[in-house]
Amino acid sequence: MYFLISLGAIITSAILFCENNNIVVSRVKINKKVKNPIKIVQLSDLHSKEFGKDNKKLLNPPYAGRGKKLLNKVLNENPDLILLTGDIIDCTSIRHKEIINFISKMSEKIPTYYIPGNHETRAEKYKEIIKKLRKNNVNVLLNEIRTININGNKVNILGLVEEQGSSEAYIKRAKGEFEYKDYSIIFNEFCKLPGIKIVLSHYPENFKAIGDKSYYKYKFDLMFSGHAHGGQFRIPLIGGLYAPA
């Protein structure tokens, strides 16, 4: 009996270690009429996790290596755009300087757009994090719209900060008493813009699960989200079993 328990604990620990330290690239192809194809890399919910020292160690072109360094992984994809959808830095602000450096290195090479998640917004160093990212030319969107040209395509990006990650907000949501923000004004402005329209929202449930304030009723092309970690309870071969909201 003790042997079985110990073996089970070892197997579980091994699975958890691999899940937390292995980088898997998920590829999604979206058919959309564009002048020229656009490749987007999305990163979310790193929670100050480093894959390799400082997530970097840039090697000589074409950033060759064992594929373990996250920055190399991203740059090897040759993306046209990088989207960061929150909780890149943990609420403890641990390693925040290293993660800011990592994000800034990406932004030097590729246009990078960032929204904070629930962890950043409740971090003690939140204002410092935002200030440093902006100083390093990272496009931080706090309920803002940016329009850029990518490969001959006009691309509009709306970055939202829903601010629904506090302990008080969690309790109110559990009781069904939470009042979601009304973003109709900025969405209506956003949807009038010509070109491709991309929404960055940390919370995927806000697309269609928050009643009449859900985002799906507005006409845009893509929404990128994080927060749910692909299912926070995962079983090998089965996948995610549970996600918040």
Side-chain angles (χ1 to χ4, degrees):
M1 183 66 177
Y2 292 117
F3 173 75
L4 289 176
I5 292 173
S6 298
L7 182 61
I10 291 170
I11 292 172
T12 301
S13 297
I15 290 171
L16 291 173
F17 179 84
C18 290
E19 285 286 322
N20 284 317
N21 291 279
N22 186 37
I23 302 172
V24 177
V25 180
S26 300
R27 303 182 188 276
V28 179
K29 186 175 182 179
I30 297 170
N31 293 316
K32 173 72 180 174
K33 189 176 181 180
V34 293
K35 290 183 179 180
N36 295 292
I38 299 172
K39 181 183 279 191
I40 300 172
V41 164
Q42 179 196 13
L43 294 175
S44 196
D45 295 77
L46 294 178
H47 290 274
S48 295
K49 170 69 176 176
E50 288 184 284
F51 292 91
K53 174 67 175 170
D54 294 338
N55 278 320
K56 55 186 180 88
K57 188 156 184 170
L58 275 179
L59 304 175
N60 290 327
Y63 307 105
R66 294 180 297 169
K68 298 279 186 175
K69 305 293 187 288
L70 183 54
L71 182 57
N72 292 340
K73 276 277 191 185
V74 171
L75 297 181
N76 276 334
E77 291 293 327
N78 295 313
D80 302 300
L81 182 65
I82 298 172
L83 303 177
L84 307 176
T85 48
D87 287 4
I88 305 299
I89 297 171
D90 195 72
C91 63
T92 60
S93 298
I94 185 173
R95 289 191 292 273
H96 73 284
K97 292 181 180 178
E98 290 86 349
I99 305 302
I100 288 171
N101 183 55
F102 160 62
I103 297 171
S104 302
K105 288 288 184 184
M106 287 194 298
S107 186
E108 287 176 6
K109 305 287 183 180
I110 310 293
T112 300
Y113 289 79
Y114 170 100
I115 61 166
N118 52 296
H119 272 254
E120 285 101 343
T121 55
R122 67 173 183 252
E124 185 178 335
K125 296 183 182 293
Y126 175 55
K127 291 183 179 180
E128 177 186 337
I129 289 166
I130 298 302
K131 184 178 180 180
K132 286 185 176 179
L133 286 171
R134 284 180 162 165
K135 185 179 180 180
N136 290 344
N137 297 316
V138 177
N139 296 286
V140 180
L141 300 184
L142 306 179
N143 299 326
E144 297 172 79
I145 300 168
R146 294 284 175 82
T147 300
I148 56 174
N149 190 289
I150 301 178
N151 299 339
N153 303 288
K154 183 172 283 188
V155 179
N156 306 288
I157 304 172
L158 168 60
L160 299 174
V161 187
E162 289 99 339
E163 295 181 351
Q164 58 195 59
S166 66
S167 299
E168 182 183 3
Y170 276 114
I171 293 170
K172 285 187 176 181
R173 282 210 302 281
K175 294 179 178 179
E177 299 173 353
F178 184 76
E179 184 69 27
Y180 289 91
K181 282 189 175 182
D182 182 353
Y183 285 106
S184 58
I185 293 175
I186 195 167
F187 264 111
N188 287 330
E189 176 189 349
F190 178 64
C191 292
K192 291 176 184 176
L193 298 173
I196 299 165
K197 288 176 269 292
I198 295 174
V199 174
L200 307 184
S201 165
H202 183 64
Y203 301 90
E205 66 267 24
N206 289 3
F207 180 73
K208 204 173 183 179
I210 59 171
D212 61 358
K213 292 177 182 174
S214 297
Y215 306 158
Y216 79 97
K217 65 181 183 178
Y218 301 103
K219 292 184 178 180
F220 56 88
D221 299 294
L222 287 171
M223 177 167 141
F224 288 84
S225 296
H227 194 55
H229 298 198
Q232 289 172 319
F233 292 93
R234 298 178 62 83
I235 294 178
L237 304 179
I238 295 177
L241 299 180
Y242 168 81

